Amino acid sequence: MTSTARPSAGQFVRYQFGAVLPEDLREWVREDLVGPGATGRYVARFVVPPLPIFALLFFVPGPWWLSLGMIVLLLVPLAYFCIGLSTVYRRHRLAVHGLDPELVHERADRAESAMRADYERRHRA
């Protein structure tokens, strides 16, 4: 992330639970939600917290594959909906922080513009 302003530890924890950060941290929020690795950070925020609960399932009496099956039955829908709703959630977080929700598509728009410029450069009549 390029911005020098970073949230304090307390602000960061509150931000993870949905709190709005002060205006001076908007650039950090923008980089967090649309910068490089934004989708990976988003998925980690939803998949990592239930891991201790998944670990407790290994203490359920029975064969190991039964515990593993229970974890898979919980993890697959979690990951599916997490990835599927990534754009919706990140758009919402941008709007809550007073940023343009369309920034979510910024990288795709830049790539499309570069591809279009390359096409026009190679195929000028």
Side-chain angles (χ1 to χ4, degrees), residues 9-89:
Q11 287 176 321
F12 183 75
V13 169
R14 286 191 302 275
Y15 172 75
Q16 299 305 322
F17 287 100
V20 178
L21 292 177
E23 283 189 37
D24 61 326
L25 294 171
R26 275 192 182 167
E27 185 60 30
W28 183 88
V29 170
R30 181 184 177 285
E31 286 296 315
D32 181 56
L33 295 173
V34 299
T39 303
R41 285 190 298 274
Y42 166 78
V43 171
R45 285 180 184 133
F46 282 88
V47 174
V48 170
L51 289 181
I53 296 168
F54 295 160
L56 289 176
L57 292 175
F58 278 110
F59 294 107
V60 171
W64 65 268
W65 55 265
L66 184 65
S67 297
L68 189 62
M70 288 188 290
I71 292 170
V72 169
L73 284 174
L74 293 171
L75 191 59
V76 168
L78 174 68
Y80 177 80
F81 284 108
C82 177
I83 293 167
L85 295 173
S86 168
T87 303
V88 174
Y89 178 78

Side-chain angles (χ1 to χ4, degrees), residues 85-106:
L85 295 173
S86 168
T87 303
V88 174
Y89 178 78
R90 290 186 300 136
R91 284 174 55 94
H92 167 73
R93 292 299 302 259
L94 285 167
V96 166
H97 282 87
L99 297 165
D100 181 17
E102 293 303 314
L103 288 173
V104 169
H105 306 293
E106 180 180 42

